[in-house]
Amino acid sequence: MKLSFFGAAKLVTGSNYLLETNNHKILIDCGLFQGSKAIKAKNYEEFPYKPSEIDFLLLTHAHIDHSGRIPLLYKKGFKGEVICTNATKGLCQIMLPDSGHIQEMNVKYKNRKRTRAGLELLSPLYTIEDAYSCLNKFTGVQYNSTIKLTDSITLRYRDAGHILGSASIEVWVEENNKQTKLIFSGDLGKDNTPIINDPYLFKECDFLLMESTYGNKYHEFKSNSTERMFQVIEETLSKGGSVIIPSFSVGRTQEMIYAFNKIETIKEKWQKIKNVSVYVDSPLAISATEVFKDNIESFDDEAKQYILNGDNPLDFDNLIFTRSTEESKSINYNKNPKIIISASGMCDAGRIKHHLKHHLWEKENTILFVGYQAHGTLGRLLVDGAEKVKIFGETINVKARIEMIDGFSGHGDIENLDKFLGSFTKKPSIVFLVHGEIDQLNGFSKRINEKFNMKTIIPDIGECYEIQSVSDKKTIINVDRTITDNTYKRLELLNYVAKLKEEISDITELISYDVINKLDEDEISKTIDYYEKIDDNISDLITLVEESKNE
Ligand SMILES: [Zn+2]
């Protein structure tokens, strides 16, 4: 059989793997590429296989970088079944239409500009409609049950401890009278993540596809992150300030609600927090919380115990959900100290921007980050200590206290991933390392070789591996790199050139005499620095191309 890597290879987004057996074509995940413009451009490339020929899609979990291209796959002719856990199905029912909405909004904005410039209009990657239409392809399954998918393929979904519904998938393939077992780890969480079960520990397989996000990193402050969070909140409330928590709508927000609910049961400590209003201001987070409540069979024992005791672990007295825009606005009219949990987690979109605008300039308030902040986002600027930021075109002084609590990551670190690998009594013949940046992949690979004595491969995007079972136990591998020819890279280069052209025209439009007059000395020097860097790079590029032209 063949295994190809079409996303999240030497990258953390766009998860997409293709397993081809004698009789079937099966995809594992079909996620959106997220991040820089060049990476996002991959979403617009044709799928490197015919979507109409795919029989099944096995989905590890609902995060958009794993599920976000399913509506597109469907739009391009996929007619098969999407198989995932019941909770993942529930979350996709809200997250994929939300993603469709974002896709539509993105082009709406660009098209307004293009209409004025007389350019051809863009169409969205997919629409809300497309997203709704593909949802009837989803089949929900239960954790730990064995599913006979076809005569030759059997599956089992196990807890991955990453978000509600997340799974590692076991796949058994019968081919040429031999059985081969593959495990797709999906994104792996940590032990003791609130609400959900710990990652399942496997004993054996022939081939393992393993995520590597933090393959070479330890998380700081793992054990006491909730305690630290409450401490910061108490200090802020004591000064009469409010706490703004930018949080991912699915998973992290529910984890926060769960933590606040627990406080209710700890009567003596955290008196101030107990009496203050906690707002969850994100329609997606509110819908996701409903999905959580519908899937209590996926909860861990502790969360189930709350329910048995008559407590809803995702609700408490002073919790207020604000769905409508009016409700959202009214939060900021009321000047009493409060806690606001809102999205997006990295502050680059959504209602959180309004709350930052209203709270950043007052020193009594705290902005409390509980998730990863990528380069280039407003959240990252704040975490890095920006003194002024621009929100909705307005310059805002940053006077509030900025705190980052690192311990809430949804991904396991070295300790967790090593525990996962250490549980194998029959070692996989090959561990394919995916879903990681290159430094994490390299460090992880080296450690796996040395510590676990397992063979590793870090596949490139577009690579195809022919995997075979030879004799009874040994499994060997033939590598077929034919799919990775240079065409792929060449196309990518053309993409960059087109993007650059667009970006330069954007800058030309943006930087007028008026705008330059508004910049202060510092901003002018920074802008000049940027230009010099760009200029240097472009000169190097021209030299390189000119030289090869003359060869
Ligand atoms: Zn994930």
Side-chain angles (χ1 to χ4, degrees), residues 169-193:
I169 309 175
E170 294 172 284
V171 182
W172 290 266
V173 180
E174 287 281 336
E175 213 174 57
N176 313 325
N177 296 322
K178 287 199 174 67
Q179 194 184 58
T180 305
K181 179 181 175 184
L182 300 100
I183 293 175
F184 296 88
S185 78
D187 287 1
L188 291 169
K190 311 171 301 214
D191 288 348
N192 303 320
T193 296

Side-chain angles (χ1 to χ4, degrees), residues 311-330:
D311 176 26
N312 179 344
L314 292 173
D315 204 0
F316 50 91
D317 281 347
N318 39 0
L319 173 67
I320 303 159
F321 290 109
T322 48
R323 205 182 269 273
S324 73
T325 319
E326 289 67 35
E327 287 171 313
S328 169
K329 280 184 185 157
S330 70

Side-chain angles (χ1 to χ4, degrees), residues 61-66 162-163 166 187 410-411 435:
H61 66 291
H63 275 154
I64 287 299
D65 61 319
H66 293 257
H162 172 60
I163 60 162
S166 65
D187 287 1
H411 288 272
H435 202 286

Side-chain angles (χ1 to χ4, degrees), residues 456-495:
T456 50
I457 286 178
I458 302 173
D460 239 316
I461 201 159
E463 275 183 358
C464 171
Y465 291 80
E466 179 145 14
I467 52 185
Q468 283 180 357
S469 292
V470 173
S471 81
D472 277 348
K473 282 190 178 137
K474 291 225 165 158
T475 321
I476 62 139
I477 172 159
N478 290 326
V479 187
D480 168 10
R481 290 173 197 258
T482 46
I483 293 176
T484 321
D485 57 21
N486 287 328
T487 330
Y488 179 80
K489 282 241 152 67
R490 271 157 225 262
L491 280 176
E492 195 172 53
L493 178 60
L494 285 179
N495 249 329

Side-chain angles (χ1 to χ4, degrees), residues 272-429:
K272 290 215 159 50
I273 303 180
K274 258 186 60 200
N275 297 317
V276 79
S277 298
V278 179
Y279 293 90
V280 171
D281 188 32
S282 149
L284 183 62
I286 298 169
S287 302
T289 308
E290 291 304 313
V291 177
F292 270 66
K293 289 176 186 169
D294 289 342
N295 284 281
I296 45 181
E297 79 277 1
S298 304
F299 286 10
D300 63 8
D301 290 341
E302 187 195 61
K304 280 179 182 157
Q305 195 57 49
Y306 276 103
I307 294 162
L308 281 176
N309 294 344
D311 176 26
N312 179 344
L314 292 173
D315 204 0
F316 50 91
D317 281 347
N318 39 0
L319 173 67
I320 303 159
F321 290 109
T322 48
R323 205 182 269 273
S324 73
T325 319
E326 289 67 35
E327 287 171 313
S328 169
K329 280 184 185 157
S330 70
I331 300 175
N332 293 316
Y333 298 150
N334 156 9
K335 292 291 165 204
N336 293 333
K338 55 181 107 49
I339 299 167
I340 305 172
I341 304 170
S342 186
S344 74
M346 298 196 220
C347 309
D348 39 2
R351 292 180 177 178
I352 188 71
K353 289 173 80 179
H354 292 276
H355 299 304
L356 290 176
K357 189 177 143 184
H358 282 97
H359 291 89
L360 267 174
W361 59 279
E362 284 177 313
K363 66 175 191 321
E364 293 77 20
N365 301 326
T366 297
I367 317 301
L368 181 62
F369 289 93
V370 290
Y372 177 71
Q373 304 299 312
H375 279 285
T377 59
L378 176 58
R380 182 59 173 258
L381 283 177
L382 290 170
V383 169
D384 285 349
E387 286 173 11
K388 285 185 170 115
V389 289
K390 276 228 157 100
I391 301 177
F392 302 122
E394 208 178 299
T395 304
I396 311 282
N397 256 335
V398 182
K399 292 286 177 209
R401 173 179 177 187
I402 308 289
E403 281 287 339
M404 169 84 192
I405 296 181
D406 208 14
F408 291 106
S409 175
H411 288 272
D413 66 355
I414 290 184
E415 195 186 314
N416 309 113
L417 298 181
D418 281 9
K419 184 177 171 191
F420 183 89
L421 287 167
S423 71
F424 281 89
T425 45
K426 183 200 165 199
K427 289 176 186 171
S429 302

Side-chain angles (χ1 to χ4, degrees), residues 482-542:
T482 46
I483 293 176
T484 321
D485 57 21
N486 287 328
T487 330
Y488 179 80
K489 282 241 152 67
R490 271 157 225 262
L491 280 176
E492 195 172 53
L493 178 60
L494 285 179
N495 249 329
Y496 278 118
V497 175
K499 289 242 152 266
L500 193 62
K501 217 166 139 187
E502 205 180 294
E503 282 165 352
I504 287 179
S505 100
D506 278 358
I507 298 171
T508 328
E509 240 177 71
L510 198 70
I511 307 236
S512 64
Y513 207 74
D514 283 4
V515 175
I516 293 174
N517 275 342
K518 283 185 194 150
L519 300 177
D520 63 26
E521 286 304 307
D522 205 35
E523 287 168 329
I524 290 273
S525 329
K526 262 192 196 157
T527 315
I528 291 175
D529 276 356
Y530 278 127
Y531 270 101
E532 282 175 351
K533 271 184 214 153
I534 296 172
D535 191 34
D536 283 352
N537 283 330
I538 291 185
S539 306
D540 289 349
L541 192 65
I542 292 175

